[in-house]
């Protein structure tokens, strides 16, 4: 059985390393953060993802997964580091380049290097292959280098890692084949072969597709608000058409993927990517619209307004606050009003700038209640608990309660 070194022990790297360990690979997980390495080596996890704690515990206990702060020799290297964007919305490839550089000291002829991070077109050739070959010119033609974008949905990572189809694209045909064969050893879905450029674009396209569709729902929510139409009922009805499937409006689009990746397409083809850019702008505009609605409610409040914000994570039942529209709304409200703001986020212990309240405290104190992230515990809120409050429901959660 081959050895695998996974660089980056985050939301993708850690579950991937764990899955590979469970399939019998000897896996070294590498992370620059010594605290993360410590936690993993204790068989524990530093992120929230269903069932991951048990799987990591098992993998570490079996001796198949061990974490390190420096890269270890292996047959296969998987780079799973973040690719955020810069202030000008252009991709920031610093982490990928650093990860590629970091493995140069341990690479050997015959190794397979896979970039899993969502990346702009050309990154596998330029930010991985060129970087490695500049440092290790004697390895030119002796490595296999490919892109296989991760496609898993946070909250369902362990299942989707195995079940989803994968797109694999090498910098040359031999790389494509070698990388695809590796994925076939642990993926139940189909492994589809292409070039590294097309694999990069495929991943960006998937997320841009979802972003455009969410933007459609968000735009509808603004239109319906203006026209006095219940957008949730409208979408339910329109979706009864056999070829219509509208997504759900929300407070905006968050996370480190869908709110980021479409910009990589815009950066690559700014003239052509009109719809993709507009969708980003529509979704980025939604939190401001929510803030305006809350301010309007506060101005109408008969008593001193106390604003209760429910859910800070970027989507239901995860603990991830990155690029979360709810967090943006909380900070914007703090800047815009002197009214008391109560923040409830059951999945995290602390949040910058706010003291977190329990759901009971929030329901007891707030007279303006804003549903931002519809976590499971919020779905049990009853009509009685909403009585006498102004409600701003960005997710349609209270529709069921209020009818
Ligand atoms: N959202 C809505 N309305 C919807 C669906 C989602 O407002 O109807 C919002 C969510 O609340 C959240 C954001 O969109 O703020 C994104 O959530 P998501 O569940 O759509 O997606 P992510 O960001 O958690 O994961 C996406 C997935 N991509 C696609 O579904 C095309 C996942 O498969 C990718 O692997 C992941 O991005 C990634 O890492 O790129």
């Amino acid at each position: 059985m081959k050895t695998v070194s996974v660089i980056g022990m985050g939301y993708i790297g850690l579950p991937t390393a764990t899955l590979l360990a469970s399939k019998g690979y000897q896996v070294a997980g590498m992370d620059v953060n010594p605290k993360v390495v410590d936690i993993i080596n204790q068989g524990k996890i530093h992120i929230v993802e269903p069932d991951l704690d048990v799987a990591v515990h098992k993998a570490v206990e079996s001796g198949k997964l061990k974490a390190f702060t420096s890269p270890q020799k292996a047959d296969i290297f998987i780079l799973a580091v973040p690719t955020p964007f810069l202030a000008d919305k252009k991709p920031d490839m610093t982490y990928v380049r650093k990860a590629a550089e970091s493995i140069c000291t341990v690479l050997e002829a015959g190794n397979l290097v896979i970039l899993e991070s969502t990346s702009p077109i050309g990154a596998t050739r330029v930010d991985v292959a060129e970087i490695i070959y500049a440092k290790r010119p004697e390895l030119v033609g002796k490595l296999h280098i490919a892109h296989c974008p991760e496609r898993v949905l946070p909250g369902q990572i362990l299942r989707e890692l195995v079940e989803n189809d994968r797109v694999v694209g090498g910098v040359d045909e031999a790389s494509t084949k070698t990388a695809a064969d590796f994925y076939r050893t642990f993926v139940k879905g189909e492994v589809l072969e292409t070039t590294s450029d097309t694999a990069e674009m495929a991943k960006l396209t998937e997320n841009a597709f979802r972003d455009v569709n969410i933007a459609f729902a968000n735009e509808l929510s603004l239109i319906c608000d203006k026209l006095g139409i219940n957008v949730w009922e409208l979408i339910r009805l329109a979706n009864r058409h056999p070829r219509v499937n509208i997504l759900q409006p929300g407070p905006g689009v968050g996370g480190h993927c869908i709110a980021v990746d479409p910009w990589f397409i815009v950066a690559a083809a700014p003239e052509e990517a009109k719809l993709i850019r507009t969708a980003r702008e529509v979704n980025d505009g939604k939190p401001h619209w929510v803030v305006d609605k809350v301010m309007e409610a506060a101005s109408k409040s008969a008593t001193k307004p106390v604003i209760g914000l429910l859910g800070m994570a970027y989507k239901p039942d995860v603990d991830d606050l990155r690029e979360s529209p709810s967090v943006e709304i909380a900070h914007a409200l703090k800047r815009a009003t002197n009214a008391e703001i109560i923040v409830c986020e059951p999945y995290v212990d602390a949040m910058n700038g706010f003291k977190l309240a329990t759901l009971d405290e929030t329901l007891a104190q707030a007279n303006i209640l804003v549903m931002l992230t519809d976590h499971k515990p919020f779905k049990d809120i009853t009509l009685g608990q909403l009585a006498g409050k102004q409600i701003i429901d960005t997710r349609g959660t209270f529709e069921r309660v209020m009818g």
Side-chain angles (χ1 to χ4, degrees), residues 153-192:
L153 194 71
Q156 303 192 29
I157 294 181
L158 285 179
R159 183 177 63 73
E160 290 207 357
L161 267 181
V162 178
E163 289 180 7
N164 289 1
D165 293 345
R166 299 297 292 255
V167 176
V168 176
V171 295
D172 49 44
E173 269 183 41
S175 297
T176 307
K177 194 92 205 53
T178 309
D181 285 344
F182 166 60
Y183 280 93
R184 287 189 185 108
T185 64
F186 64 94
V187 165
K188 275 195 200 141
E190 212 176 314
V191 178
L192 307 151

Side-chain angles (χ1 to χ4, degrees), residues 261-271 273-274 276-278 280:
D261 304 350
W263 287 119
F264 294 4
I265 300 181
V266 175
E271 291 294 312
K274 293 193 187 72
I276 293 171
R277 178 201 295 271
T278 305
R280 264 305 51 247

Side-chain angles (χ1 to χ4, degrees), residues 94-279:
T94 320
Y95 299 106
V96 170
R97 289 170 155 260
K98 279 203 174 128
E101 262 171 35
S102 76
I103 59 171
C104 283
T105 50
V106 292
L107 277 175
E108 287 171 357
N111 284 169
L112 166 64
V113 180
I114 299 161
L115 175 65
E116 281 217 8
S117 316
T118 303
S119 295
I121 297 105
T124 312
R125 286 183 287 111
V126 176
D127 299 293
V128 179
E130 276 181 21
I131 294 263
I132 291 174
Y133 290 143
K135 286 218 161 209
R136 299 285 307 274
E138 79 282 9
L139 289 178
V140 173
K142 296 189 177 132
L143 296 176
H144 292 120
I145 301 180
H147 182 50
C148 178
E150 61 83 9
R151 310 169 110 178
V152 289
L153 194 71
Q156 303 192 29
I157 294 181
L158 285 179
R159 183 177 63 73
E160 290 207 357
L161 267 181
V162 178
E163 289 180 7
N164 289 1
D165 293 345
R166 299 297 292 255
V167 176
V168 176
V171 295
D172 49 44
E173 269 183 41
S175 297
T176 307
K177 194 92 205 53
T178 309
D181 285 344
F182 166 60
Y183 280 93
R184 287 189 185 108
T185 64
F186 64 94
V187 165
K188 275 195 200 141
E190 212 176 314
V191 178
L192 307 151
E193 299 179 16
T194 181
T195 63
S196 58
D197 283 22
T198 306
E200 286 152 357
M201 185 61 182
K203 169 61 196 244
L204 301 180
T205 302
E206 290 157 18
N207 280 354
F209 173 86
R210 192 150 169 89
D211 197 43
V212 168
N213 281 278
I214 299 169
F216 183 79
N218 276 332
E219 186 165 292
L220 272 182
S221 72
L222 269 53
I223 296 168
C224 286
D225 184 70
K226 191 167 192 170
L227 303 181
I229 289 170
N230 178 331
V231 70
W232 318 105
E233 182 192 8
L234 172 83
I235 291 176
R236 249 192 333 265
L237 296 174
N239 280 349
R240 297 299 283 268
H241 182 287
R243 284 173 297 284
V244 174
N245 187 10
I246 303 167
L247 295 180
Q248 296 298 302
V253 167
H256 39 287
C257 311
I258 294 188
V260 176
D261 304 350
W263 287 119
F264 294 4
I265 300 181
V266 175
E271 291 294 312
E272 294 77 10
K274 293 193 187 72
L275 180 62
I276 293 171
R277 178 201 295 271
T278 305

